[in-house]
Amino acid sequence: MRRLIPATLALALLAGVTTPAQAAAPGHIRVDQVGFGPEESKHAYLMTSGRAGRFTVVDRRGRVVLAGRAGPDRGSWNSRYPHVYDLDLTRLRTPGSYRIKAAGATSAEFEIGPSRNPAAGVLRFFGLQRDGAGAPRTPSHLNDRAASVYDWPEFTGPDTDQIKGELRRVGGPVDVEGGWFDAGDYLKFTHILAYVDTFLWAAQRDGRAPGHALRDEAAHGLKYLDKMWDEESKTLYIQVGIGAGNAEGTFVGDHDIWRLPEADDGDDAEGHQFIRNRPVFRAAAPGQPISPNLAGRTAAAFALAAQLEPSPRRAAQLLDQAASVYAMARTTGVERLVTSLPHAFYPESVWRDDMQLGAAELALAAQRLRDPRAGRWLADSARWARGYLDEDQGDTLNLYDVSALAHADLLKAMRAARAGATGAADAADAAGTTGTKGVTGATGGAGGLAVTEADLVAGLKAQLDAGVRRAAGDPFRAGALYDTFDSVPHAFGLAATARLYRSATGDRAYDAFGTQQRNWALGANPWGVSFVAGAGENSIACPHHQIANITGKPATGAVVNGPNSAGLFEGGLGGHFEEMPPCPAGGVDRYAEFTGHGSRFVDDVRSWQASEPADDFAAIALYALMLT
């Protein structure tokens, strides 16, 4: 999760950051370590302190298969590497494994060919994240089957997750066993899980998904959402567990200890009562309106499942569940959104995109089932889209802004409605009747909506153009920001948006840009790191992930935050928990010399700011990779 720096860790931030000596720097070649499709635009980068000349590409036998001259100097990365040269590999189309050589440097290996996609590895990460009886390891947190519900805690300050006083029980028991751990810790959040499950179902619908693994994982998430939404009492449960303990020291939280999850059910240590029996929190009191971001994205997950469910009866049930939670949204007088406790873990501030997405998925599911509510939801989605475009647009696809998927799916619903209306009109003409009364029922006619198709296409284009402008000024063509949280998921979000735009318009103008964002995340970045564990020759090795760290088994498919503001590391990385095996073993930051543009990346188990994997990171990466 996007953790705060809790009071319990503040005293551990002792070690300073050393600056490497400014010796003459060798050159480095950065390339997407997974590779490229044969027809894709292909670029790598030479970062150096000197001038560039020619480069060659060699196959596994050392034969030169491509030669060329380094392209333009794209600018300085830092004082040690004042030049970054473009290496255009686009002419290389023959499937195989290759390396680039230039200025005395040799790149990591990469592939040309269809087998290069790491999506299957990313999907496996969700298996590692499973909680409850369905965990592939020893079952964990079975006590969640009879959990107590508590009132929202009071925190000791706006920038801490430390709780003030004791928790107050208000209900239960409720069954919240299962689902996925949120990140490298063991908390569970509906805000995250609904987003993740929405993108898993969307990947199943929109991408290439052989076999049943993706559908099974999406169904696992939906089963948990069904527990978190209590239809009878109209209650949405939003969180299981607490991050930190209280100021009085009478209990600890999830982030205060380092252990395997299966240890928690029997943990009888003093102050560990909320580790053993984890508290549950509600979005609002039973029957009361809930935060619209939660209502919209939870509805979207149920409605997407309804679009793919083969049984019409079960699909109708899922549609009704989606409609029920969507109807509970509070859309007037909206102040601070509900995401997590504390809100600062996930400080979302925009919600019309969530409501637009929920309504669009409801409309698509209703159109499939010929449900007469389709037209109403279509109009709702258009109305929320109008509000988003007028009031909220500015971010790109990620956990906090789902408008790109919402725009694309609203376009689908509008076009399906128009096609249905045309078909109904043709049928009426053939029958010798006049007019199309009733067409806007089951088909959801698209006339008179608050947005046009052109408005939605322009909204997708605006997000891509924002990324293109940033990429134009970046030596490595990054469309995301390096010096803030979530750079890697933003990069994958831009890659996905480029594909959504092409699907919506047939225009391939952003294809190369989208490919470059995937390239950046998979190794064509200043650090030469693939931010997806196990994808590439030099992928993240020391994620801030308790299970992987303690067991020594790789967190294959884990997607991490990536670079973050260098200022977040000024106090050092802090000490290790007693149960935390150091990683890297020698504690040396081998990426320190590549700090630049106000950003830093550290591959260290303590570096939650850069190396903690999260479910939402993996979900958007999976979606982007499935669309390529």
Side-chain angles (χ1 to χ4, degrees):
M1 78 172 50
R2 284 43 143 208
R3 302 188 188 191
L4 309 175
I5 300 179
T8 53
L9 294 182
L11 294 178
L13 302 179
L14 300 174
V17 179
T18 60
T19 302
Q22 296 297 310
H28 297 278
I29 299 171
R30 305 313 197 194
V31 66
D32 182 329
Q33 295 167 30
V34 176
F36 308 84
E39 303 304 317
E40 286 185 318
S41 171
K42 307 173 189 70
H43 291 268
Y45 305 92
L46 170 64
M47 53 191 305
T48 178
S49 59
R51 297 177 64 85
R54 298 187 64 79
F55 71 91
T56 59
V57 179
V58 299
D59 64 15
R60 281 187 170 174
R61 296 173 63 179
R63 297 176 302 185
V64 175
V65 297
L66 180 70
R69 182 167 294 279
D73 185 347
R74 293 190 52 82
S76 172
W77 176 247
N78 61 20
S79 60
R80 191 171 176 85
Y81 296 99
H83 307 287
V84 178
Y85 294 97
D86 180 80
L87 306 179
D88 190 343
L89 316 176
T90 302
R91 289 182 293 138
L92 182 63
R93 297 184 177 182
T94 303
S97 299
Y98 304 96
R99 294 182 188 272
I100 308 162
K101 295 188 175 186
T106 301
S107 76
E109 187 174 74
F110 64 96
E111 286 189 11
I112 304 293
S115 63
R116 59 185 174 74
N117 199 319
V122 177
L123 180 60
R124 285 197 295 273
F125 174 69
F126 288 101
L128 182 63
Q129 294 297 94
R130 283 196 184 194
D131 194 18
R137 312 164 318 281
T138 305
S140 54
H141 298 126
L142 300 185
N143 290 351
D144 287 353
R145 290 172 174 170
S148 293
V149 182
Y150 290 82
D151 200 1
W152 287 13
E154 181 181 355
F155 297 97
T156 56
D159 298 320
T160 179
D161 56 349
Q162 186 181 66
I163 292 171
K164 181 180 180 180
E166 302 295 329
L167 296 181
R168 185 173 71 89
R169 186 178 183 275
V170 294
V174 294
D175 180 4
V176 293
E177 176 264 338
W180 299 298
F181 306 129
D182 164 61
D185 51 54
Y186 305 133
L187 301 181
K188 299 186 290 192
F189 300 100
T190 300
H191 174 252
I192 308 301
L193 194 136
Y195 170 90
V196 169
D197 210 43
T198 291
F199 277 91
L200 294 189
W201 287 114
Q204 174 74 29
R205 182 193 64 186
D206 301 339
R208 298 188 296 272
H212 299 286
L214 176 56
R215 191 182 189 98
D216 290 348
E217 205 61 51
H220 175 79
L222 197 74
K223 180 180 178 181
Y224 189 70
L225 274 184
D226 187 43
K227 290 185 175 185
M228 300 305 276
W229 170 242
D230 185 336
E231 176 67 34
E232 183 176 350
S233 67
K234 296 291 190 289
T235 304
L236 184 67
Y237 298 104
I238 60 166
Q239 180 169 327
V240 179
I242 50 175
N246 64 350
E248 292 77 7
T250 60
F251 58 84
V252 302
D254 187 85
H255 299 165
D256 296 325
I257 58 176
W258 195 261
R259 77 286 186 198
L260 291 174
E262 52 265 33
D264 287 358
D265 280 346
D267 187 346
D268 58 2
E270 184 178 357
H272 287 212
Q273 59 267 37
F274 294 126
I275 301 295
R276 182 175 62 255
N277 295 300
R278 306 197 296 173
V280 181
F281 304 96
R282 309 171 302 197
Q288 294 300 305
I290 60 178
S291 191
N293 57 319
L294 290 170
R297 62 181 54 194
T298 304
F302 282 121
L304 267 159
Q307 294 170 34
L308 297 170
E309 171 57 48
S311 163
R313 183 171 176 272
R314 173 60 177 152
Q317 291 173 339
L318 290 167
L319 178 61
D320 285 343
Q321 280 184 288
S324 180
V325 68
Y326 175 82
M328 292 301 295
R330 177 178 180 175
T331 58
T332 59
V334 179
E335 295 178 354
R336 191 166 77 170
L337 299 177
V338 176
T339 57
S340 57
L341 300 171
H343 174 77
F345 278 161
Y346 294 103
E348 185 178 27
S349 59
V350 173
W351 57 271
R352 292 176 182 87
D353 57 314
D354 293 288
M355 291 298 290
Q356 178 193 344
L357 180 62
E361 305 306 348
L362 281 161
L364 287 168
Q367 287 171 343
R368 177 192 180 221
L369 296 170
R370 299 193 64 78
D371 187 297
R373 295 172 289 182
R376 185 179 77 210
W377 288 320
L378 183 67
D380 267 8
S381 186
R383 178 166 55 91
W384 295 125
R386 180 77 273 156
Y388 173 86
L389 291 169
D390 291 345
E391 302 290 338
D392 297 327
Q393 67 176 331
D395 200 357
T396 58
L397 183 58
N398 76 107
L399 175 67
Y400 301 120
D401 191 320
V402 296
S403 61
L405 181 60
H407 291 347
D409 281 2
L410 177 53
L411 276 166
K412 291 178 187 176
M414 290 168 67
R415 290 168 178 172
R418 186 175 67 243
T422 301
D426 291 345
D429 289 344
T433 59
T434 59
T436 56
K437 183 178 180 180
V439 167
T440 58
T443 59
L449 297 176
V451 292
T452 65
E453 291 186 19
D455 292 331
L456 298 171
V457 169
L460 289 170
K461 188 175 186 300
Q463 294 188 28
L464 290 167
D465 286 342
V468 167
R469 286 191 296 272
R470 286 194 287 264
D474 180 71
F476 298 87
R477 293 189 172 96
L481 298 172
Y482 288 90
D483 59 349
T484 188
F485 279 97
D486 299 2
S487 56
V488 170
H490 271 91
F492 279 119
L494 286 166
T497 304
R499 294 298 184 264
L500 292 172
Y501 179 85
R502 185 177 75 187
S503 296
T505 66
D507 183 357
R508 304 178 72 97
Y510 295 98
D511 279 11
F513 168 75
T515 298
Q516 290 156 8
Q517 304 318 297
R518 186 195 76 226
N519 298 158
W520 180 89
L522 295 174
N525 56 64
W527 299 272
V529 179
S530 169
F531 297 119
V532 179
E537 189 174 292
N538 185 43
S539 66
I540 174 124
C542 297
H544 183 86
H545 190 274
Q546 294 182 68
I547 295 172
N549 175 252
I550 294 172
T551 64
K553 296 179 180 178
T556 301
V559 181
V560 300
N561 181 91
N564 214 325
S565 171
L568 293 177
F569 301 92
E570 288 179 354
L573 300 179
H576 294 83
F577 286 98
E578 183 178 346
E579 301 81 5
M580 177 190 282
C583 187
V588 176
D589 178 9
R590 62 192 180 103
Y591 298 110
E593 67 177 289
F594 306 119
T595 295
H597 286 218
S599 64
R600 183 181 174 192
F601 174 70
V602 184
D603 189 6
D604 190 298
V605 67
R606 297 167 294 170
S607 175
W608 58 266
Q609 307 95 320
S611 68
E612 184 173 18
D615 295 355
D616 61 290
F617 300 169
I620 191 59
L622 178 68
Y623 186 64
L625 292 166
M626 293 289 287
L627 294 179
T628 58

